[in-house]
Amino acid sequence: MIAAGGVLSGVLTPLAPQLIDRISGGPGDFRIALVAVPFAVLVFFVVRRCSANPGWAALAAAVITMVAFVCAVNAAIWIDGQTNGADKIMRNILTGVAGGFVGAGVMALGIALLPAGPRETIAWLQMLLAGTLAGALLAVDNALNLDLTSVLYPVWQAAVAVRLAMALQRRKFF
C-alpha cells in the first residue's frame, strides 16, 4: 500500500506546478516546497502508522520532506550548472543522482532525529541508496520530454516511502 501511495503521489507531483502557478506571490523556494505536498502527505501517514512517534513528529516529518524537496531541486540545479560542458544524458544522470541523494539524505537525517526515529545507520542508508539510484531516472524523463508526467517521481517516491516505512519499523533484538 505504501508503494502504491508513492506511485500516486509521484503522479500528482508533476501536476502540482500547474495549480501552484495560479497562486500569485510567494518566494520561489516556498512554491517549490508546495510541489512536494502530495509526497509530504504520504510521509505524514507513513511516520504516523509505522513508528511510535507522536502526532507532531509526523507533521514535522512532512515539513522535513518539503524542505528535502527544495534542497534536492537546488542541488540538481547546482550540479546541472557545474556540468555545463558534459553530454546532455550524462548531465541529466548526474543531476538526478545528486537530487535523489540530497532529497533522500535530508529526509533520512531529519526523520532519524525525531523522538522514535531509529538511530541505526544501516536503516537509513538503504533509504538513501534507493533515493540516489532512483534519481538517475531524471535522464529518462528528459529523454522522453516528459512534462506533466514523470517516470522519476512515482519510482523515487514509492522506493523512498517503502524504505522509510522499513526503517521506521526496524527493531533491535538482543
Side-chain angles (χ1 to χ4, degrees):
M1 285 183 55
I2 292 169
V7 169
L8 177 62
S9 70
V11 168
L12 295 175
T13 297
L15 299 174
Q18 303 297 320
L19 202 66
I20 294 167
D21 286 345
R22 297 179 188 264
I23 302 170
S24 61
D29 283 345
F30 177 71
R31 295 166 67 84
I32 292 171
L34 290 178
V35 175
V37 166
F39 187 54
V41 169
L42 176 63
V43 169
F44 173 86
F45 286 113
V46 168
V47 171
R48 190 76 187 119
R49 301 280 294 163
C50 297
S51 74
N53 279 305
W56 66 264
L59 184 59
V63 171
I64 290 166
T65 300
M66 293 170 71
V67 169
F69 189 83
V70 172
C71 292
V73 168
N74 286 324
I77 291 169
W78 187 79
I79 291 295
D80 188 56
Q82 298 302 310
T83 58
N84 197 8
D87 180 53
K88 184 179 178 184
I89 293 174
M90 185 53 69
R91 251 172 78 178
N92 289 330
I93 291 171
L94 292 173
T95 300
V97 166
F101 174 79
V102 170
V106 170
M107 281 183 65
L109 181 62
I111 295 172
L113 295 175
L114 293 176
R119 302 297 189 257
E120 302 156 357
T121 306
I122 193 71
W124 298 109
L125 285 178
Q126 293 169 352
M127 184 175 122
L128 185 64
L129 181 63
T132 301
L133 293 176
L137 291 172
L138 179 65
V140 175
D141 283 357
N142 286 326
L144 298 175
N145 291 323
L146 298 177
D147 188 25
L148 295 178
T149 58
S150 173
V151 174
L152 167 67
Y153 291 128
V155 173
W156 191 93
Q157 291 178 12
V160 170
V162 167
R163 294 311 311 178
L164 172 62
M166 293 172 79
L168 292 172
Q169 291 178 343
R170 208 166 249 230
R171 306 275 188 259
K172 252 188 164 175
F173 297 103
F174 294 96

